[in-house]
């Protein structure tokens, strides 16, 4: 049965974009994905690629840390509470040399590093001028030119760990290696339950080894719960820029998570 493979390169420098290397990685993934097996729905330990991590973190970024959403009671964020695993640090910084953003927002407010999560504790919200007034706070440089959206993080960073991706996989007794996620949609912004599909390579891991390809599956999972206290088993040393699918980028590593809920196959 034919299989798909994909690869992505995102950089602030043209010279760092290697289309040939992307083609090699995509082809290798496609070759590895032939003759996939079906797995039953259930909760599986996972290793998410940076591209998959970027895709799912875009939802808490845009719909949770958004100051307007928080003021309207639509956000999961409870500032000062440990809602994430202690290994998690998340911030937004368009001025970082690794980011693609510009150093001011659509309202002309200067941008700077703005912390959202420190050691698992939610600590910040993003504001444009209007939501800052509602909150009695200062604008944080996150206007995208649409007051209906509020302040949106567009240059997200998740601090990486010290584990090579192969080491993350090597610690999985039985689980799934997830290359990419798409058709991702939020079902409930308050709980951050998101659904979507795997693509471009889904692989079964047993005894720390990739043993074969798996037919694409649907997931339905609270992103914040999956990255919650005690749920992050490792972060990779491969942090890189990746597209989020929402028009922004994020600099994120691979992540080994204790559980990810797969609720059906690609048709259901």
């Amino acid at each position: 049965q034919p299989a798909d493979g994909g690869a992505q390169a995102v950089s602030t420098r043209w010279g760092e974009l290697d289309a040939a290397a992307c083609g090699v990685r995509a082809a290798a993934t496609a070759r590895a994905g032939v003759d996939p097996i079906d797995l039953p729905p259930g909760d599986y330990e996972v290793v998410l690629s940076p591209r998959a991590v970027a895709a799912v973190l875009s939802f808490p970024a845009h719909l949770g840390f958004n100051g307007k959403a928080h003021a309207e009671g639509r956000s999961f964020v409870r500032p000062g509470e440990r809602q994430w695993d202690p290994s998690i640090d998340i911030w937004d910084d368009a001025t970082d040399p690794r980011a693609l953003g510009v150093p001011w927002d659509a309202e002309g407010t200067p941008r700077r590093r703005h912390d959202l999560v420190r050691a698992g504790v939610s600590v910040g919200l993003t504001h444009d001028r209007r939501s800052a007034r509602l909150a009695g706070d200062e604008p944080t440089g996150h206007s995208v030119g649409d007051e209906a959206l509020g302040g949106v993080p567009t240059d997200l960073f998740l601090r990486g760990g010290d584990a090579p991706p192969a080491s993350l996989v090597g610690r999985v007794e039985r689980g799934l290696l997830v290359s990419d996620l798409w058709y991702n949609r939020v079902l409930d912004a308050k709980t951050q339950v998101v659904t979507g599909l795997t693509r471009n390579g889904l692989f079964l891991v047993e005894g720390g080894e990739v043993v074969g390809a798996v037919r694409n599956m649907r997931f339905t999972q609270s992103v914040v719960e999956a990255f919650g206290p005690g749920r992050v088993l490792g972060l990779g040393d491969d942090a890189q820029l990746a597209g989020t699918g929402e028009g922004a980028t994020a600099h994120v590593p691979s992540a080994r998570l204790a559980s990810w809920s797969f609720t059906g196959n690609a048709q259901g």
Side-chain angles (χ1 to χ4, degrees), residues 8-22 97-100 241:
Q8 182 189 80
V10 184
S11 177
T12 58
R13 298 175 177 86
W14 286 108
E16 294 179 354
L17 300 178
D18 190 337
C22 282
R98 298 167 293 181
L100 292 181
L241 271 182

Side-chain angles (χ1 to χ4, degrees), residues 41 195-197 216-220 262-268:
T195 191
L197 299 171
N216 284 319
M217 299 178 73
R218 173 169 293 281
F219 73 90
T220 306
F262 292 90
T263 50
N265 58 31
Q267 285 73 46

Side-chain angles (χ1 to χ4, degrees), residues 107-125:
E107 296 172 332
T109 303
R111 286 173 165 163
R112 59 191 183 281
R113 173 169 170 150
H114 186 66
D115 287 353
L116 303 173
V117 178
R118 294 193 202 107
V121 178
S122 297
V123 297
L125 299 169

Side-chain angles (χ1 to χ4, degrees), residues 28 34 53 56 58-59 64 67 73 76-77 83 89 93 100 131-132 160 169-171 178 186 193 215 254:
V34 298
V53 171
V56 296
S58 68
F59 291 96
F76 74 90
V77 174
Q83 297 183 274
D89 288 329
D93 189 2
L100 292 181
S131 69
V169 173
R171 297 169 189 169
V178 181
V186 66
V193 174
R215 206 176 308 276
S254 299

Side-chain angles (χ1 to χ4, degrees), residues 12-184:
T12 58
R13 298 175 177 86
W14 286 108
E16 294 179 354
L17 300 178
D18 190 337
C22 282
V24 169
R25 293 199 306 271
T29 302
R31 285 193 294 269
V34 298
D35 298 325
I37 64 170
D38 287 306
L39 283 184
D43 295 339
Y44 293 85
E45 184 177 330
V46 294
V47 175
L48 302 181
S49 74
R51 191 169 178 179
V53 171
V56 296
L57 282 187
S58 68
F59 291 96
H62 293 182
L63 302 175
F65 295 113
N66 183 311
K68 181 175 185 287
H70 190 269
E72 294 173 348
R74 297 183 285 110
S75 168
F76 74 90
V77 174
R78 298 188 297 274
E81 291 191 20
R82 175 161 281 125
Q83 297 183 274
W84 305 77
D85 189 83
S87 65
I88 297 298
D89 288 329
I90 301 174
W91 66 96
D92 190 80
D93 189 2
T95 67
D96 189 295
R98 298 167 293 181
L100 292 181
V102 295
W104 59 86
D105 71 1
E107 296 172 332
T109 303
R111 286 173 165 163
R112 59 191 183 281
R113 173 169 170 150
H114 186 66
D115 287 353
L116 303 173
V117 178
R118 294 193 202 107
V121 178
S122 297
V123 297
L125 299 169
T126 54
H127 290 295
D128 59 9
R129 293 181 184 179
R130 183 176 184 181
S131 69
R133 287 195 301 270
L134 290 173
D137 208 339
E138 294 295 321
T140 59
H142 289 93
S143 170
V144 292
D146 186 345
E147 288 187 351
L149 294 178
V152 177
T154 55
D155 296 276
L156 204 67
F157 284 79
L158 168 64
R159 182 175 61 84
D162 56 6
S167 174
L168 295 180
V169 173
R171 297 169 189 169
V172 176
E173 185 58 36
R174 189 172 192 272
L176 292 169
L177 172 60
V178 181
S179 301
D180 198 2
L181 300 169
W182 72 330
Y183 284 134
N184 305 311

